[in-house]
Amino acid sequence: MDKKPYPFLPFEDSLVGEKILLVWQENHHSEKNLKEHLLKALDLSEDQVVFTPNAIKQKLMVSYPTEIRKLIEEKKFSQITDLLLTIAKGKSEQYPTPALDITFELLEWILTGFDLDDVIAETLSALFGTSLTNPFVDQVRAEYIKELRG
């Protein structure tokens, strides 16, 4: 008997997802609205948004950051957005299953470790199928840092 994959709740199970939702709601939008945007933009159903199995996640969280660092060094910033969308949609050669949890973890890593607000804004806009700007990213980062500082 196969175990049913555990649902990934992007706005509860991810700190960066939690902060994206908070900023979204501060701009007078609902969680339901944001989730609908996400599923529609990625062409996913709710039951496809699940946690990636740990062994696979550990392997991918070594290879994807290496790939992203290389793209940063080569100044191929739009390819970072493409990669993150590919992972979220489950179109990656490494793992052809939707992995929104990994996408959010990588976004968090980029948000806190690199000065790539344009890439983050472009990625968030594509993930949610709506225009999100650098000030939105600044607000998400500020809320994230506030949370870490307690």
Side-chain angles (χ1 to χ4, degrees):
M1 181 172 125
D2 284 337
K3 283 180 22 178
K4 188 173 175 6
Y6 196 76
F8 172 67
L9 307 174
F11 311 119
E12 294 175 32
D13 298 330
S14 161
L15 183 57
V16 78
E18 209 178 280
K19 300 311 166 191
I20 290 167
L21 174 62
L22 178 69
V23 174
W24 180 262
Q25 288 175 323
E26 285 176 355
N27 292 300
H28 312 290
H29 300 288
S30 71
E31 179 176 355
K32 181 178 185 277
N33 179 265
L34 185 61
K35 191 170 196 173
E36 287 170 358
H37 274 281
L38 181 65
L39 294 174
K40 183 177 180 195
L42 296 176
D43 194 27
L44 295 176
S45 63
E46 205 162 329
D47 65 338
Q48 290 177 289
V49 182
V50 296
F51 276 100
T52 304
N54 267 345
I56 294 168
K57 185 174 190 170
Q58 287 177 356
K59 179 180 161 231
L60 296 176
M61 287 307 295
V62 169
S63 64
Y64 286 138
T66 301
E67 194 172 335
I68 291 169
R69 280 190 195 97
K70 185 173 186 249
L71 292 171
I72 292 169
E73 284 172 20
E74 296 171 356
K75 300 194 182 324
K76 295 181 177 176
F77 301 117
S78 66
Q79 288 185 26
I80 296 169
T81 296
D82 294 343
L83 175 64
L84 293 172
L85 288 173
T86 299
I87 295 165
K89 292 178 178 182
K91 308 279 188 210
S92 168
E93 287 180 24
Q94 292 185 54
Y95 187 61
T97 301
L100 197 55
D101 58 333
I102 291 175
T103 299
F104 271 54
E105 203 162 312
L106 291 168
L107 265 172
E108 188 170 337
W109 175 72
I110 293 168
L111 180 76
T112 59
F114 299 92
D115 185 20
L116 294 172
D117 286 7
D118 290 343
V119 171
I120 296 167
E122 181 182 334
T123 302
L124 290 176
S125 295
L127 277 173
F128 294 103
T130 190
S131 180
L132 298 171
T133 60
N134 286 23
F136 184 90
V137 173
D138 289 341
Q139 285 181 275
V140 170
R141 181 181 291 106
E143 290 297 333
Y144 183 91
I145 291 168
K146 195 186 320 179
E147 177 82 21
L148 292 182
R149 291 189 177 148

